[in-house]
Structure formats: structure tokens, C-alpha cells
Amino acid sequence: MPPRAVDIAPAVADMVVSLLLAREDPTGNWRHTDTFGFVLIVLINLPLLARRRAPVAVLFVMLALQVWFIALGYWPVVNSLGSLLALYTVASQRPVRIAAAGIAAVGAVWIYAGLAADGGSMVTVVAQILTVPPVVCWFGTAARRLGERNAQLALLTAKLAREQEARARRAVTDERVRIARELHDVVAHHVSVISVQAGLAEYVITSDPPTAQAALHTIGETTREALDEMRRMLLLLRADPEDMDAVRVPGPDRPAADDTMDPAPGLARLDDVVRRIRAAGVAVAIRRVGIARPLSSGVELCAYRIVQEALTNVLKHARTARVELTVEYEPTRLRIAVCDDGGEPDSDATPQTRNSGRIGGASGHGLIGMSERARLYGGTFSAGPRPEGGFEVGLVLPIPAEPGTSGGKVVGAGDT
């Protein structure tokens, strides 16, 4: 692997400085640098090109060549910068114990140079050994730790990016499931009502024209409401957040009465659902208990969809049943129950088969969707046959504590 520019530049700079120092007159009894001395200086500093790939080997090779350089009587100060650069590289890439061994090796060479000098001060040499190499190693160790922290930060950044990507994929999946659940609730309810009313209109179109006309009117209303809900859902999916306000502002090509951006349905629209189910031939009574008060849009939509799905299941599986819908506001909970008596048995089905068909929805999208909605808002959901006959769907959702009786509308227990 060829040396990089980051390795070549320091090695070349150190070699130039060493060659320039060699041109100076040495102090003491050191010999002047001759041609062989300059060649030896180049050889001593040449291993610095490989200092990042083999820092320990480079350091000890340089120190060994320096010992030879000193033994020949050349001035040892000439190559001091190169050995310190090699020592810095060892400290920046190897553990502290190896860097300490490097300090000891550099100190031993410096002591040898001090002993070889004529009239040199060993106190000065020892002082230099105790200050310069440790400081160089300290900077190298700091650089190594900074590099390790940067590597850890890079790993954490990559991990965070992977986690964000995974969360984004989960969010997309959750959103798809939510949209599928919304579409299922809208389509299943409205199409069930339309199917029943179409069958009724076809059956009585000649014998009872007023009833057929009423059924066709219900089909028209149900179709328009289904289209409005689907249009609102699709518009929310297509629109950018910054464009939402512009969508709501009436313009010359958009009448103010456009209701495609109306809020999601809530408990206030249960009467519309009940009316459609009644028009399809199912007897439904509403019983409201407690103080009705505004709830979050999510809780309202959750309760509305579960009631809508429960009544649609009655329409599909127990059309002759009588249903009681109970909406009860407690101080910290909203209770909803949809109970039916099972109705009259069909000629080709028993109550057990009718109930098993409704419970079978738990393996599909119906009851599972209702259970997931309840769980999303911290509530509990139950569905199953009643001991006295029929079927019951129950929902309990936590709601904010009731602020007081003056803030709500007291609803009679017998409200239908």
C-alpha cells in the first residue's frame, strides 16, 4: 500500500529540517556531518513514510540507526525531531503501555548521547527526557482518544440512521394499516347498507313502490356519504401539510360550502349510522347515560368506527335482531356497548352458526380492527355471545377527568 500525502509530508519536512541542522556547526566534540552522515540522516528519517502502518517498528528502527549515528560521532540533535514524530505516532495508535516503552527507548538513546558527549550535562539530559517525550506522548494519546470517540460517534450515527430508517418503515406500515382499516370501515358499512336496500327495492319495486322509493333514497344518501368520506380521506393523503390551510380557504373555483375537509366523524354522528341501520330493517335503540362532553378527535373517531362496525356486523349476520346501543360517559371513562338479542333464526342457520360467523371476523379485519383501535387509545375491547342469547360488543376508553356537571349536557338514560 503506497504512502499517502499525509504520511509523506511530515516525513519530508522532518528530513529537510534534519539535513539543515546537519549543516550547522555542532557544539562540543561532535564531528562535522560529511557525505556519509547526510546519507545516514536520510536513512534514519526514511522509515517515517511507513509510520502509520507500523509505528512501533518504525520507532525502534530509527532509534537503532540513531545509536549507530551517535556511535560514529555525529551530532545526535540532528535526528531528535524524527524520533519524537515516530513516538507521537506510536502514542496516537497504540495503548499507553506501548507508548511508555517508546518513551523509555527514546530516553535510553538520549542518555547514550549524553554519555557520549564530551562535557555534557546529564542533569539537562534527564530533565529533557522527563519532559519532552512524555508531553509528545500525551498529545499522541489525546489524538488517539479523539479518534476513538470519532469512530464511536460514526458508529452511533450509522446506527441512528438505521433506526430512523426502520422507524420510517414502521410508520409507513402503520399508516397503511390505518388507512386500510379506515377504508374497510367506510366500505363495509356503506356497502352493506346499500346491498340490503338494493335487495329490498328490487323485491318490492312492483308491489310496494313507496317502500322501493324510500330504499332507493337511502341508497343515494349512503352512497353520497361514502363518497364524501373517501374523498376526504384521499384529499388528506394527497395534500401537503403547508397546503392544508389553502385547501380550506374558499376561492373563485372552490365554494365555501365544500365539506371534503370536514372533521373526521365522531359520536355526534351516531344518529346517522343508526338511521341507516334502521332503514335497512334492523331495530336499533340508543341509550345515552352521563354527561356528554367534547373528546379528542382520535377518541371520537375510534368510538364512532367501532359502533359503525358493530352495527354493520349485526346487519350482516343478525338482521332480524333487536339492538341496544349504550353510550355512557363516566368521570374518567367512556363505555360503549352494542348488544343484540340474536333475532329470529334463519331457515339455513342456527344461532351458533350466526355467532360463529361474527366471531370468525376476529381472524380477519373486522373484530381485529376494532380491537387495535381500542388498544391504540389505551382502551379495552370485548366481543362475544351473551349468556341470554345474542351478541355483545363492548368498548371502554379512558377520557380526561370530568371538569364538572356544568360543562356538559345531561342526557337521559332512555334517550332513543
Side-chain angles (χ1 to χ4, degrees):
M1 183 176 180
R4 298 176 299 175
V6 69
D7 299 325
I8 296 176
V12 172
D14 175 72
M15 190 177 299
V16 170
V17 171
S18 299
L19 292 173
L20 291 177
L21 284 175
R23 293 169 56 89
E24 302 290 333
D25 292 331
T27 59
N29 61 339
W30 301 107
R31 62 185 283 191
H32 289 278
T33 307
D34 52 16
T35 302
F36 182 76
F38 283 111
V39 172
L40 195 55
I41 291 172
V42 173
L43 292 176
I44 292 173
N45 291 278
L46 194 60
L48 288 174
L49 294 174
R51 64 190 180 90
R52 290 183 179 273
R53 293 192 295 275
V56 178
V58 167
L59 174 63
F60 283 94
V61 167
M62 291 183 65
L63 292 178
L65 292 174
Q66 285 186 36
V67 170
W68 183 26
F69 187 83
I70 297 170
L72 293 176
Y74 293 112
W75 191 24
V77 176
V78 171
N79 298 299
S80 297
L81 183 61
S83 60
L84 292 177
L85 179 58
L87 179 62
Y88 171 86
T89 306
V90 170
S92 65
Q93 295 189 6
R94 296 294 184 265
V96 175
R97 63 179 184 277
I98 297 180
I103 293 176
V106 171
V109 173
W110 286 14
I111 288 177
Y112 172 68
L115 293 175
D118 186 12
S121 173
M122 289 301 300
V123 175
T124 302
V125 173
V126 172
Q128 291 175 345
I129 293 173
L130 294 178
T131 55
V132 178
V135 170
V136 171
C137 280
W138 182 86
F139 279 107
T141 302
R144 176 175 56 82
R145 291 175 178 172
L146 179 60
E148 292 173 351
R149 285 195 293 268
N150 289 338
Q152 293 176 355
L153 181 60
L155 292 176
L156 291 176
T157 302
K159 182 179 179 181
L160 179 61
R162 291 193 298 269
E163 291 178 352
Q164 289 176 340
E165 184 179 355
R167 282 198 297 269
R169 288 196 298 266
R170 286 196 299 269
V172 170
T173 301
D174 294 343
E175 185 66 12
R176 287 176 178 173
V177 171
R178 186 186 69 81
I179 294 171
R181 187 180 299 130
E182 286 291 317
L183 289 174
H184 169 269
D185 292 343
V186 171
V187 173
H189 170 73
H190 292 89
V191 171
S192 297
V193 173
I194 291 172
S195 176
V196 171
Q197 293 295 332
L200 175 63
E202 182 181 10
Y203 182 74
V204 301
I205 192 169
T206 56
S207 60
D208 192 354
T211 302
Q213 184 178 5
L216 292 175
H217 178 73
T218 301
I219 290 174
E221 287 187 344
T222 304
T223 303
R224 284 190 294 273
E225 182 172 343
L227 290 175
D228 287 342
E229 288 202 29
M230 294 184 69
R231 188 181 301 113
R232 177 180 60 83
M233 190 181 306
L234 293 175
L235 184 60
L236 288 173
L237 291 175
R238 289 197 303 263
D240 293 330
E242 57 268 20
D243 297 336
M244 297 302 291
D245 292 336
V247 170
R248 293 187 177 90
V249 176
D253 56 348
R254 181 179 180 84
D258 192 346
D259 60 353
T260 55
M261 293 299 295
D262 285 346
L267 295 176
R269 293 177 57 179
L270 286 182
D271 289 333
D272 296 336
V273 179
V274 170
R275 178 175 54 80
R276 287 194 296 269
I277 297 298
R278 285 173 178 170
V282 179
V284 183
I286 305 179
R287 189 169 69 95
R288 293 183 172 91
V289 181
I291 300 175
R293 58 187 187 272
L295 304 176
S296 67
S297 59
V299 172
E300 291 266 352
L301 179 61
C302 173
Y304 175 86
R305 292 302 189 198
I306 288 179
V307 171
Q308 184 185 56
E309 179 70 17
L311 294 178
T312 301
N313 284 342
V314 175
L315 180 63
K316 291 179 180 177
H317 304 288
R319 192 181 307 169
T320 60
R322 290 181 296 274
V323 184
E324 182 179 80
L325 168 60
T326 303
V327 180
E328 182 176 358
Y329 290 87
E330 295 184 355
T332 59
R333 291 182 297 184
L334 172 68
R335 289 183 177 271
I336 292 179
V338 181
C339 306
D340 67 76
D341 59 6
E344 297 296 330
D346 297 335
S347 58
D348 58 348
T350 64
Q352 289 78 13
T353 58
R354 289 198 305 273
N355 283 336
S356 65
R358 295 170 67 178
I359 298 175
S363 62
H365 298 288
L367 297 183
I368 284 184
M370 291 190 277
S371 177
E372 289 298 320
R373 283 186 182 277
R375 186 184 307 172
L376 180 63
Y377 292 97
T380 57
F381 172 81
S382 61
R386 303 169 65 194
E388 61 272 24
F391 200 85
E392 178 177 359
V393 171
L395 172 67
V396 179
L397 291 174
I399 58 177
E402 185 179 8
T405 57
S406 61
K409 170 187 174 184
V410 178
V411 183
D415 184 28
T416 54

